[in-house]
Amino acid sequence: MSTLFKANFYDGLTSKPKDALVGLREPGSLEVEADGERIHWPLEHPDMEWERSGSMLRITFGEHPRRVLIVREPVFIKSFVMRMQYAGRRGVYDRTLSVARRGPLLFFLALVLVLVSGYFWVLPFAAERMALLLPLEVDKQLGKASYGSIMLGLPEDTARSAVLQRFGDKLQLSEKFDLRFHLVESEQVNAFAMPGGDIVVFSGIVDGMEHPEQLAALLAHEATHVDERHSTRMMVRQMAGYLFLSLLLGDVNAVVALVAENADNLRNLSYSRGLETDADAHGMERMEAAGVDPHGMVQLLELLEKESADMPEEMAFLSSHPLTTHRIEQARRKAASTKRITVVDPELQRLFQEVKTPRPSVNP
């Protein structure tokens, strides 16, 4: 071995690197000196693999243990790569460069395909999962920042909201957040939850209810969205792509405008079928824990299914909370596995009737 070059050697038994010397030996092997031991790695051996970046060469050899050699000497890297290319063995880095040189258009299209796939599929999925790592305080801040914008112009009935709050408090639907219930006077059949604990219910959805269990089911469903952070996850997921492009282009103003726009869109935030089924199932568990018949969730879904045929344009709740046959069947199956609670809490019954009774004082 005429010329020696410094390298880092990993023996596959420990994670600590060792100082080593490496060189090319004729007729075709790599000679490595480490810990006073001299090792020969045949260059054409099938267990020999290598990859390089612009300034580093990584060579691996053997099976168990698999040894690794890291070399940063430019002269050796150039000599080694030429030897391996001559033998017809290229690393990923060199194969990629070769494809780019021979077919720049094909390479460009492949790169675009990777970026587009990441933008539409990988990025939203990763963003939703990362949202779960955010502290709960983030949900509270998002909800607080969004509340004023969303409620502006909505005619909240403060008197009925107070009654709805007592109804919801009695159910004790969340241990993570302080839930705040608001009743909006409107014929629109709608309800939505904001991150951090604000839940808005439109009188149009309450007016069609006949049993307190249906209202309990609605609040339990929305409380699950809050507790399981569904709103935050979907908000981050939907914004991820736009934020990525805006930051990529350096357009900070677009990021600020996008956050403000999505704050108002929380009322129509669409959930996936999986999250809706999850909200139904966990909502029923919350109902049972509160001593309310979980079959009320089935009654609520059947009510929405029935009314959707008569006034589809008013069913804003169903546009953001998709109602499917699968979802209803899942709720029925879940209800069948729970114990039916036939006794209705008199206080809940009284509060339910008060919520359904219009009050004269409505704030514009």
Side-chain angles (χ1 to χ4, degrees):
M1 191 162 55
S2 57
T3 307
L4 301 176
F5 299 89
K6 293 181 179 180
N8 291 325
F9 175 71
Y10 296 82
D11 60 10
L13 301 175
T14 65
S15 60
K16 186 178 180 180
K18 301 177 181 179
D19 292 333
L21 295 174
V22 62
L24 291 171
R25 181 183 177 90
E26 298 299 338
S29 68
L30 194 68
E31 190 167 339
V32 181
E33 290 185 6
D35 273 352
E37 181 183 4
R38 182 171 295 179
I39 310 168
H40 293 276
W41 293 358
L43 296 179
E44 296 186 7
H45 196 284
D47 286 336
M48 162 81 78
E49 296 181 0
W50 65 278
E51 300 296 340
R52 67 151 172 161
S53 63
S55 60
M56 185 186 75
L57 174 66
R58 182 178 187 272
I59 308 171
T60 59
F61 186 79
E63 294 185 356
H64 304 290
R66 193 154 183 80
R67 290 155 286 180
V68 179
L69 197 68
I70 304 295
V71 188
R72 291 182 173 84
E73 296 286 347
V75 175
F76 176 81
I77 293 176
K78 182 178 180 180
S79 177
F80 177 86
V81 170
M82 289 180 62
R83 179 74 65 90
M84 297 303 286
Q85 288 180 341
Y86 179 78
R89 302 188 63 182
R90 296 182 177 182
V92 173
Y93 178 85
D94 296 273
R95 289 196 298 269
T96 303
L97 287 179
S98 177
V99 171
R101 292 191 186 104
R102 288 183 298 176
L105 178 60
L106 181 62
F107 178 77
F108 174 75
L109 291 176
L111 182 61
V112 169
L113 180 61
V114 171
L115 292 175
V116 169
S117 299
Y119 173 75
F120 283 105
W121 291 289
V122 179
L123 183 63
F125 178 83
E128 184 182 344
R129 294 302 178 272
M130 289 184 65
L132 292 174
L133 302 178
L134 298 174
L136 297 180
E137 189 62 32
V138 172
D139 294 55
K140 298 175 183 178
Q141 292 177 0
L142 283 173
K144 184 178 180 180
S146 307
Y147 178 77
S149 173
I150 291 176
M151 293 300 290
L152 184 64
L154 291 180
E156 181 178 0
D157 187 327
T158 55
R160 294 171 73 184
S161 289
V163 179
L164 184 65
Q165 184 70 49
R166 294 201 297 273
F167 186 98
D169 288 345
K170 192 167 180 61
L171 298 174
Q172 299 181 345
L173 296 172
S174 176
E175 296 181 355
K176 297 178 183 177
F177 300 96
D178 294 325
L179 301 180
R180 297 167 298 278
F181 301 95
H182 312 271
L183 192 137
V184 170
E185 187 65 37
S186 171
E187 294 182 359
Q188 186 179 141
V189 179
N190 201 5
F192 60 90
M194 284 180 269
D198 285 292
I199 295 176
V200 180
V201 179
F202 286 60
S203 61
I205 197 171
V206 175
D207 292 342
M209 296 178 180
E210 298 179 356
H211 310 288
E213 293 88 350
Q214 292 172 310
L215 180 58
L218 176 65
L219 299 188
H221 178 98
E222 295 300 330
T224 300
H225 282 316
V226 174
D227 228 38
E228 299 296 323
R229 313 180 75 182
H230 292 169
S231 299
T232 302
R233 289 162 57 184
M234 294 305 295
M235 192 175 181
V236 172
R237 180 187 179 95
Q238 292 184 8
M239 293 173 62
Y242 299 105
L243 288 172
F244 173 76
L245 287 180
S246 298
L247 293 172
L248 186 65
L249 298 174
D251 190 353
V252 179
N253 292 329
V255 174
V256 177
L258 185 64
V259 172
E261 177 185 347
N262 276 266
D264 188 58
N265 287 343
L266 266 174
R267 74 175 73 178
N268 296 316
L269 188 64
S270 296
Y271 297 104
S272 67
R273 187 177 72 175
L275 293 184
E276 284 300 291
T277 302
D278 185 62
D280 292 338
H282 287 297
M284 295 170 77
E285 293 171 2
R286 286 175 164 83
M287 293 172 68
E288 187 175 21
V292 179
D293 188 4
H295 289 76
M297 184 69 74
V298 178
Q299 294 175 344
L300 173 65
L301 297 179
E302 290 175 343
L303 170 67
L304 294 172
E305 183 183 38
K306 178 181 177 181
E307 292 192 351
S308 64
D310 299 329
M311 47 179 190
E313 73 282 356
E314 294 293 335
M315 296 300 291
F317 183 79
L318 295 188
S319 66
S320 57
H321 300 65
L323 184 64
T324 63
T325 303
H326 172 78
R327 181 181 164 194
I328 297 175
E329 287 302 318
Q330 286 288 96
R332 287 172 179 159
R333 198 173 296 117
K334 177 77 173 177
S337 66
T338 61
K339 182 180 178 181
R340 187 139 202 170
I341 301 173
T342 57
V343 179
V344 180
D345 187 320
E347 180 67 8
L348 283 179
Q349 181 70 54
R350 185 184 65 80
L351 291 172
F352 173 69
Q353 293 302 328
E354 283 193 45
V355 171
K356 283 179 64 67
T357 304
R359 301 297 182 94
S361 58
V362 177
N363 290 343

